[in-house]
Amino acid sequence: MTKPDELDELISNRSSRNPVFAEMVDEALRAREVLRELTQARIDQGLSQTVVAARMGSTQSVVARIERGDRDV
């Protein structure tokens, strides 16, 4: 097991004050992993953000924001 770092301490401290905080962190990490998988699938299929956006009826900048996690999808 790795030694706890500052982020681990922050999560622990916040969780002691708010019991659902750790669950919120876990949910955010799961969402981040899904975005990474979607981005990798796009890349593996040789699709640009522009092509994906056109198929979605959207714009490349929206796809970029989704892939960065700037949009809650």
Side-chain angles (χ1 to χ4, degrees):
M1 179 140 182
T2 61
K3 180 181 173 187
D5 61 14
E6 290 179 20
L7 182 57
D8 294 320
E9 291 175 20
L10 172 72
I11 293 168
S12 178
N13 289 339
R14 293 275 176 101
S15 295
S16 67
R17 293 186 306 229
N18 181 353
V20 297
F21 185 79
E23 292 174 29
M24 292 167 36
V25 170
D26 288 342
E27 183 178 324
L29 290 172
R30 283 191 302 274
R32 186 174 173 185
E33 183 60 30
V34 167
L35 291 176
R36 285 183 179 153
E37 290 173 8
L38 287 172
T39 300
Q40 192 59 53
R42 175 185 63 75
I43 293 167
D44 291 347
Q45 294 178 36
L47 300 173
S48 68
Q49 290 178 339
T50 303
V51 169
V52 171
R55 291 180 181 180
M56 292 171 43
S58 190
T59 64
Q60 177 275 330
S61 62
V62 169
V63 174
R65 286 193 295 271
I66 290 169
E67 288 184 357
R68 277 196 314 267
D70 292 347
R71 280 273 175 101
D72 184 10
V73 294

